[in-house]
Amino acid sequence: MRNRYLDLLRFLAIVRVVVYHVTGWATLTLVFPAMSVMFALAGSLMAASLTRSGPAAVGRRLRRLLPSLWVLAVVFVPAMLLSGMPMSPRVLLWLFPIADPPANNWGALALSIIWYLRDYLWFVLASPVAFWLFRRAPLLTLLAPYLLLVAIEVGIYPAPPVLREFGLYFGAWMLGFAHHAGMLRRLAGRVLYPVALALAVTGGAWIVGHPGPRGYDLNDNHLGNALWSAAFILIVLGRVPAGVAWLGRSRLADRAVTVVNRRALTIYLWHMPFVVALTPLVDVVGWSHQDPVGLAIRVLLVFALVGLVTLAVGWVEDVAARRRPELIPGGPVQATEPAGQPDTERCDLPDEQPAGATLGRAVVPPQRAAAARSDVSAG
C-alpha cells in the first residue's frame, strides 16, 4: 500500500522546489535539501522495484519517466529550432537524455532542469549493479559515492562534472537503498543521532568556510551539500513516524498530496519555463522580487500556470503508469485500485539545479550555460 509519509515528503519537496526557483532564497536549501531527499526516495523505490522485478525494473522505471519529457520536447524543441538552435544528431538526446540535450540561449535557461533527468537515467541504469554490490557489501557501497566526492573536492582526483554529481546525488540514492533494506530504521538512536549530528556539523562548517556566489546555498557546494543532506536523510528516513493519519482527516490536504505526487514529473518539467518567462514580465509591471507582495504574486502566478499545464498534459503520467487517465488525480476511481498493490512505481522527482548562471531567479547548471554559449556562437 502507499506510504503516505513518503508521499508527504515528496509533496513538500516539489512545493519547495518551485518556491525556491521563484524566490531564490538560499535558506530553503538548508531547511529542506529537497534534491537529495528526492534522490533518496527514488533510490528506495528503485530498490523495491529491483527486489520485486529484478533488472526488468529498469525498463519499467524508464517507461514512467520519458513520456512526460517527450511532451515537453514536442513543444520546445521545434521552438528552439525555429529560433536559432542548429539541427544536429544531438537533438535525439531529447528522446533519451543520457547527456545534456542541445538548447539555444533561452532554452538553456527554461529547460535547465533537464540535468536531473540525465542524472536520474544514469542512476537507474547503474542500479542493478549497485544493488547487487549493496546486498553483498552494504556499508562499503554506501560510503563509496561520498569517498569519491571527498577525493574530488580536496583535489586528489580531478574528475569530470558528471562524476562529481555521481558522488553527490548517488550517495543519496544509496541511502534510499539503505532505507528500503531497513538499515536506517534499525539504527539505534545512540548511533543515528550522533552520526547525523557529526555529518551536519562537518557539512555546515564546510559550507560556511566555502560560500558560493549565492551565499550559503547548498547548490553551490557539493561536499557541504552531500554531508548536510545525508544528515537530513538519516533523520527523515531513519525515524519515520508511525503514520500520518492527520493527513487523511483533511480532505483538501490529502487530495493535494495525491495530486502533486501523481503529477510530480509534469510540475517539475514545466515550472522552470514559467519562472524564466515571468521574470522579465513581472519586472516590467513592477512586481519586484525584493518586494514581499511582488514576490507572492510571482509565486502564485507560477503555481497557477503550472496548474493549467498540468490539467492539459498531466494525464500523460497516468498513461505512462498504465493507469486510467484522470484530469485531477485522487478521485473515486482510486477505490478500484488493488488495495495491496506494492507502491514501487511512483514518480521520483525534483529540485534545483547545481551552481551555474542565473537569469533573474532562475539557475542554470554550468554545463548547460556552456552549451547555451556554444549554441549562440554556432548560430
Side-chain angles (χ1 to χ4, degrees), residues 123-318:
F123 294 172
V124 168
L125 294 174
S127 283
V129 174
F131 192 57
W132 183 87
L133 292 171
F134 177 80
R135 298 176 89 170
R136 284 152 181 80
L139 185 59
L140 181 60
T141 309
L142 183 62
L143 292 176
Y146 294 100
L147 295 176
L148 171 64
L149 183 60
V150 169
I152 294 172
E153 292 299 304
V154 301
I156 297 175
Y157 176 48
V162 64
L163 280 184
R164 177 178 280 110
E165 290 188 28
F166 232 93
L168 168 57
Y169 296 124
F170 202 63
W173 189 276
M174 296 306 300
L175 283 173
F177 279 17
H179 168 258
H180 169 71
M183 290 174 59
L184 305 186
R185 188 170 54 253
R186 290 193 298 268
L187 278 178
R190 64 179 182 275
V191 175
L192 185 143
Y193 293 118
V195 170
L197 180 61
L199 288 170
V201 170
T202 305
W206 185 268
I207 293 166
V208 171
H210 301 79
R214 292 168 290 184
Y216 303 126
D217 190 313
L218 285 188
N219 299 297
D220 298 332
N221 193 312
H222 286 79
L223 184 56
N225 187 349
L227 297 175
W228 183 272
S229 298
F232 191 91
I233 292 167
L234 283 176
I235 298 300
V236 299
L237 292 185
R239 288 298 175 264
V240 176
V244 285
W246 58 267
L247 183 62
R249 290 194 288 269
S250 171
R251 181 177 300 179
L252 179 61
D254 189 65
R255 186 70 178 274
V257 169
T258 297
V259 170
V260 170
N261 273 268
R262 289 285 184 90
R263 297 294 181 259
L265 272 169
T266 304
I267 296 169
Y268 174 72
L269 289 171
W270 286 89
H271 83 276
M272 184 55 81
F274 292 129
V275 172
V276 173
L278 285 175
T279 295
L281 295 178
V282 296
D283 283 338
V284 169
V285 175
W287 296 333
S288 170
H289 64 269
Q290 297 177 349
D291 173 23
V293 175
L295 201 55
I297 293 174
R298 288 168 180 255
V299 173
L300 291 175
L301 282 175
V302 170
F303 273 106
L305 291 170
V306 169
L308 290 175
V309 79
T310 298
L311 285 173
V313 301
W315 55 268
V316 172
E317 296 194 56
D318 291 329

Side-chain angles (χ1 to χ4, degrees), residues 9 12 16 20 25-35 37 207 216-218 228-229 232-233 236 352:
L9 283 180
L12 294 174
R16 208 281 281 152
Y20 168 82
W25 289 340
T27 305
L28 291 175
T29 67
L30 294 167
V31 173
F32 195 103
M35 182 71 239
V37 170
I207 293 166
Y216 303 126
D217 190 313
L218 285 188
W228 183 272
S229 298
F232 191 91
I233 292 167
V236 299
E352 61 271 8

Side-chain angles (χ1 to χ4, degrees), residues 17-58:
V17 167
V18 178
V19 174
Y20 168 82
H21 280 146
V22 179
T23 64
W25 289 340
T27 305
L28 291 175
T29 67
L30 294 167
V31 173
F32 195 103
M35 182 71 239
S36 292
V37 170
M38 294 305 299
F39 273 119
L41 293 174
S44 180
L45 294 175
M46 189 67 201
S49 294
L50 287 169
T51 301
R52 179 178 174 82
S53 307
V58 172

Side-chain angles (χ1 to χ4, degrees), residues 74-87 104 106:
V74 165
V75 175
F76 282 96
V77 171
M80 290 189 293
L81 290 171
L82 291 173
S83 58
M85 185 179 78
M87 184 66 179
N104 60 3
W106 63 264

